[in-house]
Amino acid sequence: MSNEYTSSEMMTVTAAKALENGMTCFVGIGLPSEAANLARLTHAPDVVLIYESGTLQTKPDVLPLSIGDGELCESALTTVSVPEMFRYWLQGGKIDVGFLGTAQIDRYCNLNTTLIGDYQSPKVRLPGGGGAPEIATCAGEVFITLKHSKRTFVNDVDFITTLGFGRDGKARDGVPNIGRGPTRVITDLCVMKPDPETKELVVVSLHPGVTRDDVIEATGWEIRFADQLETTPTPDARELEVLRDLKARTERKHAGEA
Amino acid sequence: MAEFLSLHDAVARYVEDGATVAMEGFTHLIPFAAGHEVIRQRKRDLTLIRMTPDLVYDQLIGAGCAKKLIFSWGGNPGVGSLHRLRDAVEKGWPHKVEIFEHSHAAMACAFEAGAAGLPLAVLRGYVGSELPSVNHQIKYIECPFTGERLAAVPSVRPDVSLVHAQKADRKGNVLVEGIIGVQKEAILAADKSIVTVEEVVDDLGASPNACVIPGWAIDAIAVAEKGAYPSYAHGYYPRDNRFYKEWDAIARDRDTFQVWIDDNVYNAGGQAQ
């Protein structure tokens, strides 16, 4: 099998590698779900995947189209009510990592999934916060994955739906019982981490073939790069094979449901 | 004690214009048949509550039933936007809908508090989020024991809740299986409740810890076969993902939406085609 891969595959494989075996992960739908299940099917067979629909320790054979697909329930250790999910499991501190996507992100990892424009007369109304506001503050840490573009990486998010580190990078300071917040952002171009002091996102690793200019072009603020800038490891043949199988299975399943 | 009624009669009796109504279902067991009956009876000025308003709320909003929406995630799961909701919020068509927006954690707690008969729910929530700046229902209290600042939201106390479940027995006891969402909380929090079921059976066959809602805690049971379609009923039929995708095109345009509603709701017996 050829080791050629797309930038989307690069993003998913890199995001998957962020999850360690045995972690408990509260999974968002879409890209996070794809990455988390790839992790489970490759290097992290004992990663515990939890979806906000109440499915605890689920092992879906195909990726869910919605957060409440029957597949998630059928392959789960158990399914609890939604209040139990948020109160006992998330707020109760049982989640190591929350894995989120977003529509907009800024330099302090604040996430906007509410709207573009002004709240009272929005240009574009987005679905809203869902589980993210509390996942981001109650989970031990947060991984974020999304495609890199000027539309998504903006200087100021139009609305803070979900806290990264606030508009000044200090919003978690002194708050009791709060998680560490975002610890890495994985895109189709690079991996970023918040600066330990200022909390501003810094590019720590470029994907192979991606230049600094590519990242600068796709970012809505003057993005910083780490002094020791690394190159992200390429996906290996097995990771690509498992990912492609998973996506093909998923496509077949969803196309067949009429 | 639950009374077995036709869906028409249950909605006619318990859903009044201006009522606060919760039709729950966390992407599973979504009460489409009940929602369509509400549309057919042209109920107006409803305050609609739901954590995850999806297609049936899009249809209710587009049909002009809603005055207000209380929610935490409003989208077409896995597909994209709710175009009728967006049209109402962005352009005021068919009329402006006021929105009160929460997070899932807060709404789940608010349903639970409603079921528990409390006036408010308390959670460690909304830290750093700007949602409290646009939703005056989100406030803060200080824990009297530790001094911790916690979020508070009013409990959900609907005038009437409508949910769909797999089955009821002949006494009206209801079994909900699979992803149970906040169905039980929605029923217990409401003043009146209607449960639609796939079928009525002699014996629920429920295990000791199953999610069973006693018939004496429910007002009306109506049989609505495939009443959650195009969402799914665990153990009965799968989600029609194709319809969820098709809805995107139907709902994008006011005219195609109107035609769909005429054909599939106003001029149809009960269920989405």
Side-chain angles (χ1 to χ4, degrees), chain B residues 212-244:
Chain B
V212 171
I213 305 167
W216 47 263
I218 297 166
D219 292 286
I221 307 270
V223 176
E225 206 179 311
K226 290 204 93 180
Y229 176 86
S231 84
Y232 72 104
H234 191 104
Y236 285 75
Y237 46 90
R239 188 176 194 261
D240 184 354
N241 284 325
R242 189 178 295 173
F243 182 79
Y244 274 77

Side-chain angles (χ1 to χ4, degrees), chain B residues 47-272:
Chain B
T47 292
L48 294 177
I49 305 176
R50 180 151 161 222
M51 293 185 66
T52 54
D54 77 343
L55 273 50
V56 74
Y57 270 35
D58 211 30
Q59 292 161 2
L60 283 151
I61 289 164
C65 302
K67 173 182 71 178
K68 204 189 276 186
L69 177 67
I70 301 174
F71 75 109
S72 42
W73 192 90
N76 183 343
V79 179
S81 289
L82 293 179
H83 298 292
R84 293 299 95 224
L85 169 60
R86 277 183 58 175
D87 204 16
V89 172
E90 294 168 19
K91 309 257 170 60
W93 191 93
H95 51 74
K96 196 83 187 162
V97 170
E98 195 182 359
I99 56 171
F100 288 86
E101 197 168 355
H102 286 281
S103 65
H104 277 349
M107 279 203 73
C109 290
F111 269 107
E112 194 185 49
L118 289 170
L120 86 167
V122 175
L123 70 153
R124 186 176 289 131
Y126 292 117
V127 179
S129 171
E130 291 176 353
L131 283 167
S133 69
V134 295
N135 181 350
H136 64 77
Q137 290 193 329
I138 304 165
K139 299 194 185 299
Y140 294 93
I141 61 167
E142 190 179 283
C143 169
F145 307 105
T146 64
E148 185 177 352
R149 186 173 185 257
L150 297 163
V153 294
S155 60
V156 168
R157 307 296 297 271
D159 293 321
V160 55
S161 284
L162 298 90
V163 305
H164 187 71
Q166 278 93 347
K167 50 191 160 184
D169 67 17
R170 300 197 189 281
K171 293 194 165 138
N173 303 306
V174 164
L175 175 66
V176 190
E177 282 184 304
I179 288 171
I180 55 178
V182 291
Q183 264 92 328
K184 184 178 182 176
E185 289 78 6
I187 294 292
L188 298 181
D191 185 31
K192 301 291 180 190
S193 58
I194 301 169
V195 181
T196 54
V197 292
E198 290 294 325
E199 60 175 338
V200 177
V201 297
D202 291 328
D203 181 359
L204 290 177
S207 65
N209 301 106
C211 184
V212 171
I213 305 167
W216 47 263
I218 297 166
D219 292 286
I221 307 270
V223 176
E225 206 179 311
K226 290 204 93 180
Y229 176 86
S231 84
Y232 72 104
H234 191 104
Y236 285 75
Y237 46 90
R239 188 176 194 261
D240 184 354
N241 284 325
R242 189 178 295 173
F243 182 79
Y244 274 77
K245 288 176 182 161
E246 285 166 4
W247 182 252
D248 189 70
I250 296 166
R252 210 174 266 275
D253 179 86
R254 290 173 187 171
D255 293 334
T256 54
F257 165 75
Q258 204 61 60
V259 169
W260 189 92
I261 281 282
D262 284 346
D263 290 351
N264 295 281
V265 180
Y266 287 122
N267 301 321
Q271 291 166 35

Side-chain angles (χ1 to χ4, degrees), chain A residues 48-64:
Chain A
V48 174
L49 303 187
I50 295 173
Y51 289 72
E52 65 194 17
S53 50
T55 54
L56 208 69
Q57 203 165 327
T58 183
K59 300 178 173 181
D61 184 49
V62 298
L63 296 172

